[in-house]
Coordinates of all heavy atoms in Angstrom, one line a residue:
F1 N -20.9 20.9 -36.7 CA -19.5 20.9 -36.3 C -19.3 20.9 -34.8 O -18.5 20.2 -34.3 CB -18.7 22.0 -37.1 CG -17.3 22.1 -36.6 CD1 -16.3 21.2 -37.1 CD2 -16.9 23.1 -35.7 CE1 -15.0 21.2 -36.6 CE2 -15.6 23.2 -35.3 CZ -14.6 22.3 -35.8
D2 N -20.0 21.9 -34.2 CA -19.9 22.0 -32.7 C -20.3 20.8 -32.0 O -19.7 20.4 -31.0 CB -20.7 23.2 -32.2 CG -20.1 24.6 -32.6 OD1 -18.9 24.6 -32.9 OD2 -20.8 25.6 -32.6
K3 N -21.4 20.1 -32.4 CA -21.8 18.9 -31.8 C -20.8 17.8 -31.8 O -20.5 17.2 -30.8 CB -23.1 18.4 -32.5 CG -24.3 18.3 -31.7 CD -25.4 17.6 -32.5 CE -26.7 18.2 -32.2 NZ -27.8 17.5 -32.8
R4 N -20.2 17.6 -33.0 CA -19.1 16.6 -33.1 C -17.9 17.0 -32.3 O -17.3 16.1 -31.6 CB -18.8 16.5 -34.6 CG -17.7 15.5 -34.9 CD -17.8 14.9 -36.2 NE -16.6 14.1 -36.6 CZ -16.3 12.9 -36.1 NH1 -17.1 12.3 -35.3 NH2 -15.3 12.3 -36.5
Y5 N -17.5 18.3 -32.3 CA -16.4 18.7 -31.5 C -16.6 18.4 -30.0 O -15.8 17.9 -29.3 CB -16.1 20.2 -31.8 CG -15.0 20.7 -30.8 CD1 -13.7 20.4 -31.1 CD2 -15.3 21.4 -29.7 CE1 -12.7 20.9 -30.2 CE2 -14.3 21.8 -28.8 CZ -13.0 21.6 -29.1 OH -12.0 22.0 -28.2
N6 N -17.8 18.8 -29.6 CA -18.1 18.6 -28.1 C -18.1 17.2 -27.8 O -17.7 16.8 -26.7 CB -19.5 19.3 -27.8 CG -19.4 20.8 -27.8 OD1 -18.3 21.4 -27.7 ND2 -20.6 21.4 -28.0
A7 N -18.7 16.3 -28.6 CA -18.7 14.9 -28.4 C -17.3 14.3 -28.3 O -16.9 13.6 -27.4 CB -19.5 14.1 -29.4
L8 N -16.4 14.8 -29.2 CA -15.0 14.3 -29.2 C -14.3 14.9 -28.0 O -13.4 14.2 -27.4 CB -14.3 14.8 -30.5 CG -14.7 14.0 -31.8 CD1 -14.1 14.6 -33.0 CD2 -14.4 12.5 -31.7
A9 N -14.5 16.1 -27.6 CA -13.9 16.7 -26.5 C -14.3 16.0 -25.2 O -13.4 15.7 -24.3 CB -14.2 18.2 -26.4
E10 N -15.5 15.6 -25.1 CA -16.0 14.9 -23.9 C -15.4 13.5 -23.9 O -15.0 13.0 -22.8 CB -17.5 14.8 -24.0 CG -18.1 14.1 -22.8 CD -19.6 13.9 -22.8 OE1 -20.3 14.7 -23.6 OE2 -20.2 13.0 -22.1
R11 N -15.3 12.9 -25.0 CA -14.7 11.5 -25.1 C -13.2 11.6 -24.7 O -12.7 10.8 -24.0 CB -14.8 11.0 -26.5 CG -14.3 9.6 -26.7 CD -14.6 9.1 -28.1 NE -13.8 8.0 -28.4 CZ -13.6 7.5 -29.6 NH1 -14.0 8.2 -30.6 NH2 -12.8 6.5 -29.8
Y12 N -12.5 12.7 -25.2 CA -11.1 12.9 -24.8 C -11.0 13.1 -23.3 O -10.1 12.5 -22.7 CB -10.6 14.1 -25.6 CG -9.2 14.5 -25.0 CD1 -8.1 13.9 -25.4 CD2 -9.1 15.6 -24.2 CE1 -6.8 14.2 -24.9 CE2 -7.9 16.0 -23.7 CZ -6.7 15.3 -24.1 OH -5.5 15.7 -23.6
E13 N -11.8 13.9 -22.7 CA -11.8 14.1 -21.3 C -12.0 12.9 -20.5 O -11.2 12.6 -19.5 CB -12.8 15.2 -20.8 CG -12.5 16.6 -21.3 CD -11.2 17.1 -20.8 OE1 -10.8 16.8 -19.7 OE2 -10.5 17.8 -21.6
K14 N -12.9 12.0 -20.9 CA -13.1 10.8 -20.2 C -11.9 9.8 -20.3 O -11.5 9.2 -19.4 CB -14.4 10.1 -20.8 CG -15.7 10.7 -20.3 CD -16.8 9.9 -20.9 CE -18.2 10.5 -20.5 NZ -19.3 9.8 -21.1
A15 N -11.4 9.8 -21.5 CA -10.2 8.9 -21.8 C -9.0 9.5 -21.0 O -8.2 8.7 -20.4 CB -9.9 8.9 -23.3
N16 N -8.8 10.8 -20.9 CA -7.7 11.4 -20.1 C -7.9 11.1 -18.6 O -6.9 10.8 -18.0 CB -7.7 12.9 -20.4 CG -6.3 13.4 -20.2 OD1 -5.3 12.7 -20.3 ND2 -6.2 14.7 -19.9
A17 N -9.1 11.2 -18.1 CA -9.4 10.9 -16.7 C -9.1 9.4 -16.4 O -8.5 9.1 -15.4 CB -10.8 11.2 -16.4
R18 N -9.4 8.5 -17.3 CA -9.1 7.1 -17.2 C -7.6 6.9 -17.2 O -7.1 6.1 -16.4 CB -9.8 6.3 -18.3 CG -9.6 4.8 -18.2 CD -10.4 4.2 -17.1 NE -10.1 2.7 -17.1 CZ -9.8 2.0 -16.0 NH1 -9.8 2.6 -14.9 NH2 -9.6 0.7 -16.2
L19 N -6.9 7.5 -18.1 CA -5.5 7.4 -18.1 C -4.8 7.9 -16.8 O -3.9 7.2 -16.3 CB -4.9 8.3 -19.3 CG -3.4 8.3 -19.4 CD1 -2.9 6.9 -19.7 CD2 -3.0 9.2 -20.5
D20 N -5.4 8.9 -16.2 CA -4.9 9.4 -14.9 C -5.1 8.3 -13.9 O -4.2 8.1 -13.0 CB -5.5 10.7 -14.5 CG -5.1 11.9 -15.4 OD1 -4.0 11.8 -16.1 OD2 -5.8 12.9 -15.4
E21 N -6.3 7.7 -13.9 CA -6.6 6.7 -12.9 C -5.6 5.5 -13.0 O -5.1 5.0 -12.0 CB -8.0 6.1 -13.1 CG -9.1 7.1 -12.7 CD -10.5 6.5 -13.0 OE1 -10.6 5.3 -13.3 OE2 -11.4 7.3 -13.0
I22 N -5.4 5.1 -14.3 CA -4.5 3.9 -14.5 C -3.1 4.3 -14.2 O -2.4 3.5 -13.6 CB -4.6 3.5 -16.0 CG1 -6.0 2.9 -16.2 CG2 -3.6 2.5 -16.4 CD1 -6.4 2.6 -17.7
S23 N -2.7 5.5 -14.5 CA -1.3 5.9 -14.1 C -1.1 5.9 -12.6 O 0.0 5.5 -12.1 CB -1.0 7.3 -14.7 OG -1.0 7.3 -16.1
A24 N -2.1 6.4 -11.9 CA -2.0 6.4 -10.4 C -1.9 5.0 -9.9 O -1.2 4.7 -8.9 CB -3.1 7.2 -9.8
Y25 N -2.8 4.1 -10.4 CA -2.8 2.7 -10.0 C -1.4 2.1 -10.3 O -0.9 1.4 -9.4 CB -3.9 2.0 -10.8 CG -4.0 0.5 -10.5 CD1 -4.5 0.1 -9.3 CD2 -3.4 -0.4 -11.4 CE1 -4.6 -1.3 -9.1 CE2 -3.5 -1.8 -11.1 CZ -4.1 -2.2 -10.0 OH -4.1 -3.6 -9.7
R26 N -0.9 2.3 -11.4 CA 0.5 1.7 -11.8 C 1.5 2.3 -10.8 O 2.4 1.5 -10.4 CB 0.8 2.0 -13.2 CG 0.0 1.2 -14.2 CD 0.4 1.3 -15.6 NE 1.7 0.7 -15.8 CZ 2.6 1.0 -16.7 NH1 2.4 1.9 -17.5 NH2 3.7 0.3 -16.8
A27 N 1.5 3.5 -10.5 CA 2.5 4.1 -9.6 C 2.4 3.5 -8.3 O 3.4 3.2 -7.6 CB 2.3 5.7 -9.6
D28 N 1.1 3.3 -7.8 CA 0.9 2.7 -6.5 C 1.4 1.2 -6.5 O 2.1 0.8 -5.5 CB -0.6 2.7 -6.1 CG -0.8 2.1 -4.8 OD1 -0.3 2.6 -3.8 OD2 -1.6 1.1 -4.7
K29 N 1.2 0.5 -7.5 CA 1.7 -0.9 -7.6 C 3.2 -0.9 -7.6 O 3.8 -1.7 -7.0 CB 1.2 -1.5 -8.9 CG -0.3 -1.8 -8.9 CD -0.7 -2.9 -7.9 CE -0.8 -4.2 -8.6 NZ -1.3 -5.3 -7.8
A30 N 3.8 0.0 -8.4 CA 5.3 0.1 -8.4 C 5.9 0.4 -7.0 O 6.9 -0.2 -6.6 CB 5.8 1.1 -9.4
Y31 N 5.2 1.4 -6.3 CA 5.6 1.7 -5.0 C 5.5 0.5 -4.0 O 6.5 0.2 -3.3 CB 4.8 2.9 -4.4 CG 5.0 3.2 -3.0 CD1 6.1 3.8 -2.5 CD2 4.1 2.8 -2.0 CE1 6.3 4.1 -1.2 CE2 4.3 3.0 -0.7 CZ 5.4 3.7 -0.3 OH 5.6 3.9 1.1
R32 N 4.4 -0.2 -4.1 CA 4.3 -1.4 -3.2 C 5.3 -2.5 -3.6 O 5.8 -3.1 -2.7 CB 2.8 -1.9 -3.4 CG 1.8 -1.1 -2.7 CD 0.6 -1.9 -2.4 NE -0.6 -1.2 -2.8 CZ -1.8 -1.8 -2.7 NH1 -1.9 -3.0 -2.2 NH2 -2.9 -1.1 -3.0
E33 N 5.6 -2.6 -4.8 CA 6.6 -3.6 -5.2 C 7.9 -3.3 -4.7 O 8.6 -4.1 -4.2 CB 6.6 -3.7 -6.8 CG 7.6 -4.8 -7.2 CD 7.7 -4.9 -8.7 OE1 7.0 -4.1 -9.4 OE2 8.5 -5.7 -9.2
R34 N 8.3 -2.0 -4.7 CA 9.6 -1.6 -4.1 C 9.6 -1.8 -2.6 O 10.6 -2.3 -2.1 CB 9.9 -0.1 -4.4 CG 10.3 0.2 -5.9 CD 10.8 1.6 -6.1 NE 9.8 2.6 -5.6 CZ 8.9 3.1 -6.4 NH1 8.7 2.7 -7.6 NH2 8.1 4.0 -5.9
Q35 N 8.5 -1.5 -2.0 CA 8.4 -1.7 -0.5 C 8.5 -3.2 -0.2 O 9.2 -3.6 0.8 CB 7.0 -1.2 0.0 CG 6.9 0.3 0.0 CD 7.9 1.0 0.9 OE1 8.9 1.4 0.5 NE2 7.5 1.1 2.2
M36 N 7.8 -4.0 -0.9 CA 7.9 -5.5 -0.7 C 9.2 -6.0 -0.9 O 9.8 -6.8 -0.2 CB 6.8 -6.2 -1.5 CG 6.7 -7.7 -1.3 SD 6.4 -8.1 0.4 CE 4.6 -7.7 0.5
S37 N 9.9 -5.6 -2.0 CA 11.2 -6.0 -2.3 C 12.2 -5.6 -1.2 O 13.0 -6.4 -0.7 CB 11.7 -5.4 -3.6 OG 11.0 -5.9 -4.7
A38 N 12.1 -4.4 -0.7 CA 12.9 -4.0 0.4 C 12.7 -4.8 1.7 O 13.6 -5.2 2.4 CB 12.7 -2.5 0.7
F39 N 11.4 -5.1 1.9 CA 11.0 -5.9 3.1 C 11.6 -7.3 3.0 O 12.2 -7.8 3.9 CB 9.5 -6.0 3.2 CG 9.0 -6.9 4.3 CD1 9.2 -6.6 5.6 CD2 8.4 -8.1 4.0 CE1 8.8 -7.5 6.6 CE2 8.0 -9.0 4.9 CZ 8.2 -8.6 6.3
L40 N 11.5 -7.9 1.8 CA 12.0 -9.3 1.6 C 13.5 -9.3 1.7 O 14.1 -10.3 2.3 CB 11.5 -9.8 0.3 CG 10.1 -10.1 0.2 CD1 9.7 -10.5 -1.3 CD2 9.6 -11.2 1.1
L41 N 14.2 -8.3 1.2 CA 15.6 -8.2 1.4 C 16.0 -8.1 2.8 O 17.0 -8.8 3.2 CB 16.1 -7.0 0.6 CG 17.6 -6.8 0.5 CD1 18.2 -7.9 -0.3 CD2 18.0 -5.5 -0.1
E42 N 15.3 -7.4 3.6 CA 15.6 -7.3 5.1 C 15.3 -8.6 5.7 O 16.1 -9.1 6.6 CB 14.7 -6.2 5.7 CG 15.2 -4.8 5.4 CD 16.6 -4.5 5.9 OE1 16.9 -4.9 7.0 OE2 17.3 -3.8 5.2
L43 N 14.3 -9.3 5.3 CA 14.0 -10.6 5.9 C 15.1 -11.6 5.6 O 15.4 -12.5 6.4 CB 12.6 -11.2 5.4 CG 11.4 -10.7 6.1 CD1 10.2 -11.4 5.5 CD2 11.5 -11.0 7.6
Q44 N 15.6 -11.6 4.4 CA 16.7 -12.5 4.0 C 17.9 -12.3 4.8 O 18.7 -13.2 5.0 CB 17.0 -12.4 2.5 CG 15.9 -12.9 1.6 CD 16.2 -12.6 0.2 OE1 17.1 -11.8 -0.2 NE2 15.4 -13.3 -0.7
K45 N 18.1 -11.1 5.4 CA 19.3 -10.8 6.2 C 19.2 -11.4 7.6 O 20.2 -11.6 8.3 CB 19.5 -9.3 6.3 CG 19.9 -8.6 5.0 CD 20.0 -7.1 5.2 CE 20.3 -6.4 4.0 NZ 20.3 -4.9 4.2
L46 N 17.9 -11.7 8.0 CA 17.7 -12.2 9.4 C 18.0 -13.7 9.5 O 18.0 -14.4 8.5 CB 16.3 -12.0 9.8 CG 15.8 -10.5 9.8 CD1 14.3 -10.5 10.1 CD2 16.6 -9.8 10.9
P47 N 18.4 -14.2 10.7 CA 18.6 -15.6 10.8 C 17.3 -16.3 10.6 O 16.2 -15.8 10.7 CB 19.1 -15.7 12.3 CG 18.6 -14.5 13.0 CD 18.6 -13.4 11.9
E48 N 17.3 -17.6 10.4 CA 16.1 -18.4 10.1 C 15.2 -18.5 11.3 O 14.0 -18.5 11.2 CB 16.5 -19.9 9.7 CG 17.2 -19.9 8.4 CD 16.7 -20.9 7.5 OE1 15.7 -21.6 7.8 OE2 17.2 -21.1 6.4
V49 N 15.8 -18.5 12.5 CA 15.0 -18.6 13.7 C 15.3 -17.4 14.6 O 16.5 -17.1 14.9 CB 15.3 -19.9 14.5 CG1 14.5 -19.9 15.8 CG2 15.0 -21.1 13.7
L50 N 14.3 -16.6 14.9 CA 14.5 -15.4 15.7 C 14.4 -15.9 17.2 O 13.4 -16.5 17.6 CB 13.4 -14.4 15.5 CG 13.5 -13.7 14.1 CD1 12.3 -12.8 13.9 CD2 14.8 -13.0 13.9
T51 N 15.4 -15.6 18.0 CA 15.4 -15.9 19.4 C 15.2 -14.7 20.3 O 14.9 -14.8 21.4 CB 16.7 -16.6 19.8 OG1 17.8 -15.7 19.4 CG2 16.8 -17.9 19.1
D52 N 15.4 -13.5 19.7 CA 15.3 -12.3 20.5 C 14.3 -11.3 19.7 O 14.1 -11.4 18.5 CB 16.6 -11.6 20.6 CG 17.6 -12.4 21.4 OD1 17.2 -13.0 22.4 OD2 18.8 -12.4 21.1
Y53 N 13.8 -10.4 20.5 CA 12.9 -9.4 19.9 C 13.8 -8.5 19.0 O 14.9 -8.1 19.3 CB 12.3 -8.5 21.0 CG 11.6 -7.3 20.5 CD1 10.3 -7.4 20.0 CD2 12.2 -6.0 20.6 CE1 9.7 -6.2 19.6 CE2 11.6 -4.9 20.1 CZ 10.3 -5.0 19.6 OH 9.7 -3.9 19.2
D54 N 13.2 -8.2 17.8 CA 13.9 -7.4 16.8 C 13.1 -6.2 16.5 O 12.1 -6.2 15.9 CB 14.2 -8.2 15.6 CG 15.0 -7.5 14.5 OD1 15.1 -6.3 14.5 OD2 15.7 -8.2 13.7
D55 N 13.5 -5.0 17.1 CA 12.8 -3.8 16.9 C 12.7 -3.4 15.5 O 11.6 -2.9 15.1 CB 13.6 -2.7 17.7 CG 12.8 -1.4 17.8 OD1 11.6 -1.5 18.3 OD2 13.3 -0.3 17.5
H56 N 13.7 -3.6 14.7 CA 13.6 -3.2 13.2 C 12.6 -4.1 12.5 O 11.8 -3.5 11.7 CB 15.0 -3.4 12.6 CG 15.1 -3.0 11.2 ND1 14.9 -1.7 10.7 CD2 15.3 -3.8 10.1 CE1 15.0 -1.7 9.4 NE2 15.2 -2.9 9.0
L57 N 12.6 -5.3 12.8 CA 11.6 -6.2 12.2 C 10.2 -5.9 12.6 O 9.2 -5.8 11.8 CB 11.9 -7.7 12.5 CG 10.9 -8.7 11.9 CD1 10.9 -8.7 10.4 CD2 11.2 -10.1 12.4
W58 N 10.0 -5.6 13.8 CA 8.7 -5.2 14.4 C 8.2 -3.9 13.6 O 7.0 -3.9 13.2 CB 8.7 -4.9 15.9 CG 7.5 -4.5 16.5 CD1 7.2 -3.3 17.0 CD2 6.3 -5.3 16.7 NE1 5.9 -3.2 17.4 CE2 5.3 -4.5 17.3 CE3 6.0 -6.6 16.4 CZ2 4.1 -4.9 17.6 CZ3 4.7 -7.1 16.7 CH2 3.8 -6.3 17.3
H59 N 9.0 -2.9 13.4 CA 8.6 -1.7 12.7 C 8.3 -2.0 11.2 O 7.5 -1.3 10.6 CB 9.7 -0.6 12.9 CG 9.6 0.0 14.3 ND1 8.7 0.9 14.7 CD2 10.5 -0.2 15.3 CE1 8.9 1.2 15.9 NE2 10.0 0.5 16.4
M60 N 9.0 -3.0 10.7 CA 8.8 -3.3 9.3 C 7.4 -4.0 9.1 O 6.8 -3.8 8.1 CB 9.9 -4.2 8.7 CG 11.2 -3.5 8.4 SD 12.5 -4.5 7.7 CE 11.9 -6.1 7.5
L61 N 7.0 -4.7 10.1 CA 5.7 -5.5 10.0 C 4.5 -4.7 10.4 O 3.5 -4.8 9.8 CB 5.8 -6.7 10.9 CG 6.8 -7.8 10.5 CD1 6.9 -8.9 11.5 CD2 6.4 -8.4 9.1
L62 N 4.7 -3.8 11.4 CA 3.5 -3.2 12.0 C 3.2 -1.8 11.3 O 4.1 -1.1 11.0 CB 3.8 -2.9 13.5 CG 2.6 -2.4 14.3 CD1 1.6 -3.5 14.4 CD2 3.1 -2.0 15.7
D63 N 1.9 -1.6 11.0 CA 1.5 -0.4 10.4 C 1.1 0.6 11.5 O 1.5 1.7 11.5 CB 0.3 -0.6 9.5 CG -0.1 0.6 8.7 OD1 0.7 1.4 8.4 OD2 -1.4 0.8 8.6
R64 N 0.3 0.1 12.5 CA -0.1 0.9 13.6 C -0.7 0.1 14.7 O -1.1 -1.1 14.5 CB -1.2 2.0 13.2 CG -2.5 1.3 12.8 CD -3.5 2.4 12.4 NE -4.7 1.8 11.8 CZ -4.9 1.5 10.6 NH1 -3.9 1.8 9.7 NH2 -6.0 1.0 10.1
A65 N -0.6 0.7 15.9 CA -1.2 0.0 17.1 C -2.2 1.0 17.7 O -2.0 2.2 17.8 CB -0.2 -0.3 18.1
T66 N -3.4 0.5 18.0 CA -4.5 1.4 18.5 C -4.9 0.9 19.9 O -5.2 -0.3 20.0 CB -5.7 1.3 17.5 OG1 -5.3 1.6 16.2 CG2 -6.8 2.3 18.0
V67 N -4.9 1.8 20.8 CA -5.3 1.5 22.2 C -6.8 1.9 22.3 O -7.1 3.1 22.1 CB -4.5 2.2 23.2 CG1 -5.0 1.9 24.6 CG2 -3.0 1.8 23.1
C68 N -7.7 0.9 22.5 CA -9.1 1.2 22.6 C -9.5 1.7 24.0 O -8.7 1.6 25.0 CB -9.9 -0.1 22.3 SG -9.4 -0.8 20.7
A69 N -10.7 2.2 24.1 CA -11.2 2.8 25.4 C -11.2 1.7 26.5 O -11.0 2.1 27.6 CB -12.6 3.4 25.2
D70 N -11.5 0.5 26.1 CA -11.6 -0.6 27.1 C -10.2 -1.1 27.5 O -10.1 -2.1 28.3 CB -12.5 -1.7 26.7 CG -12.0 -2.4 25.4 OD1 -10.9 -2.0 24.9 OD2 -12.6 -3.4 25.0
G71 N -9.1 -0.6 26.9 CA -7.8 -1.0 27.3 C -7.2 -2.0 26.3 O -6.0 -2.4 26.4
A72 N -8.0 -2.5 25.4 CA -7.5 -3.5 24.4 C -6.6 -2.8 23.5 O -6.7 -1.6 23.2 CB -8.7 -4.1 23.7
V73 N -5.7 -3.6 22.9 CA -4.7 -3.0 21.9 C -4.9 -3.7 20.6 O -4.9 -5.0 20.6 CB -3.3 -3.1 22.4 CG1 -2.3 -2.5 21.4 CG2 -3.1 -2.5 23.7
Q74 N -5.1 -3.0 19.6 CA -5.3 -3.6 18.2 C -4.1 -3.3 17.4 O -3.8 -2.1 17.2 CB -6.6 -3.0 17.6 CG -6.8 -3.7 16.2 CD -8.1 -3.1 15.6 OE1 -8.5 -2.0 15.9 NE2 -8.7 -3.9 14.7
F75 N -3.4 -4.3 16.9 CA -2.3 -4.2 16.1 C -2.7 -4.4 14.6 O -3.3 -5.4 14.3 CB -1.2 -5.2 16.4 CG -0.6 -5.0 17.8 CD1 -1.1 -5.7 18.9 CD2 0.3 -4.0 18.1 CE1 -0.5 -5.6 20.2 CE2 0.9 -3.8 19.3 CZ 0.4 -4.6 20.4
T76 N -2.4 -3.4 13.8 CA -2.7 -3.5 12.4 C -1.4 -3.7 11.6 O -0.5 -2.8 11.7 CB -3.5 -2.3 11.8 OG1 -4.7 -2.2 12.6 CG2 -3.9 -2.5 10.4
F77 N -1.2 -4.8 10.9 CA 0.0 -5.0 10.2 C 0.0 -4.4 8.8 O -1.1 -4.2 8.3 CB 0.3 -6.5 10.2 CG 0.6 -7.0 11.6 CD1 -0.4 -7.5 12.4 CD2 1.9 -7.0 12.1 CE1 -0.2 -8.0 13.7 CE2 2.1 -7.5 13.4 CZ 1.1 -8.0 14.1
R78 N 1.1 -4.3 8.2 CA 1.2 -3.7 6.8 C 0.4 -4.5 5.8 O 0.0 -3.9 4.8 CB 2.6 -3.5 6.4 CG 3.3 -2.5 7.3 CD 4.7 -2.2 6.8 NE 5.4 -1.4 7.8 CZ 5.4 0.0 7.7 NH1 4.8 0.6 6.8 NH2 6.1 0.6 8.6
D79 N 0.2 -5.8 6.0 CA -0.6 -6.6 5.0 C -2.1 -6.5 5.2 O -2.8 -7.1 4.5 CB -0.1 -8.0 5.0 CG -0.5 -8.7 6.3 OD1 -1.0 -8.1 7.3 OD2 -0.3 -10.0 6.4
G80 N -2.5 -5.7 6.3 CA -3.9 -5.5 6.5 C -4.5 -6.4 7.6 O -5.6 -6.1 8.1
N81 N -3.8 -7.4 8.0 CA -4.2 -8.2 9.1 C -4.2 -7.4 10.4 O -3.4 -6.6 10.6 CB -3.3 -9.5 9.3 CG -3.6 -10.5 8.2 OD1 -4.7 -10.7 7.8 ND2 -2.5 -11.1 7.7
T82 N -5.2 -7.8 11.3 CA -5.2 -7.2 12.6 C -5.3 -8.2 13.7 O -5.9 -9.3 13.5 CB -6.5 -6.2 12.8 OG1 -7.6 -7.0 12.6 CG2 -6.4 -5.1 11.8
I83 N -4.7 -7.9 14.8 CA -4.8 -8.7 16.0 C -5.2 -7.8 17.2 O -4.6 -6.8 17.4 CB -3.4 -9.4 16.3 CG1 -3.0 -10.3 15.2 CG2 -3.4 -10.1 17.7 CD1 -1.6 -10.9 15.4
T84 N -6.2 -8.3 17.9 CA -6.6 -7.5 19.1 C -6.3 -8.3 20.4 O -6.6 -9.5 20.5 CB -8.1 -7.2 19.0 OG1 -8.4 -6.5 17.8 CG2 -8.6 -6.4 20.2
I85 N -5.6 -7.6 21.3 CA -5.3 -8.2 22.6 C -6.1 -7.5 23.6 O -6.0 -6.3 23.8 CB -3.8 -8.0 22.9 CG1 -3.0 -8.7 21.8 CG2 -3.4 -8.6 24.3 CD1 -1.5 -8.6 21.9
A86 N -7.0 -8.3 24.2 CA -8.0 -7.7 25.2 C -7.2 -7.5 26.5 O -6.3 -8.2 26.8 CB -9.1 -8.7 25.4
N87 N -7.7 -6.5 27.2 CA -7.2 -6.1 28.5 C -7.6 -7.1 29.6 O -8.7 -7.5 29.7 CB -7.5 -4.7 28.8 CG -6.8 -4.2 30.1 OD1 -5.9 -4.8 30.6 ND2 -7.2 -3.0 30.5

């Protein structure tokens, strides 16, 4: 009886851990979908052609800017793309 119980308990723990992983993944996907929807809504409010610098748009696009030791600046955008501007 103990062997069977332990096997079932182990199986339950594995399934429960997998459920936690999937739940976290789904929550992350839902969060990203909300972020993307908000971003697209903001983009729709903008004119078709941008003629001036838009601080709000810049902050929506950029994740971080890193200044390197050699003076180069690396911009990392929210979609994962990076651009490096050498000094």
Side-chain angles (χ1 to χ4, degrees):
F1 172 77
D2 286 340
K3 242 188 213 184
R4 179 150 169 76
Y5 174 79
N6 289 338
L8 289 173
E10 183 180 338
R11 185 174 163 200
Y12 169 78
E13 291 300 324
K14 286 181 183 178
N16 205 27
R18 179 72 177 134
L19 178 62
D20 290 343
E21 288 175 18
I22 292 170
S23 295
Y25 177 78
R26 289 186 70 204
D28 181 58
K29 292 291 262 187
Y31 171 76
R32 286 202 227 179
E33 182 180 0
R34 286 190 306 274
Q35 292 292 98
M36 184 58 74
S37 293
F39 174 71
L40 291 174
L41 186 64
E42 288 295 320
L43 276 182
Q44 288 174 346
K45 293 177 186 177
L46 296 173
E48 293 227 5
V49 177
L50 294 175
T51 56
D52 296 323
Y53 172 78
D54 187 333
D55 191 51
H56 182 65
L57 179 62
W58 180 250
H59 287 283
M60 284 182 3
L61 292 172
L62 190 67
D63 185 38
R64 67 180 171 271
T66 306
V67 179
C68 303
D70 63 358
V73 180
Q74 181 179 25
F75 295 99
T76 304
F77 294 91
R78 294 187 187 269
D79 69 353
N81 287 321
T82 60
I83 295 174
T84 302
I85 299 177
N87 186 11

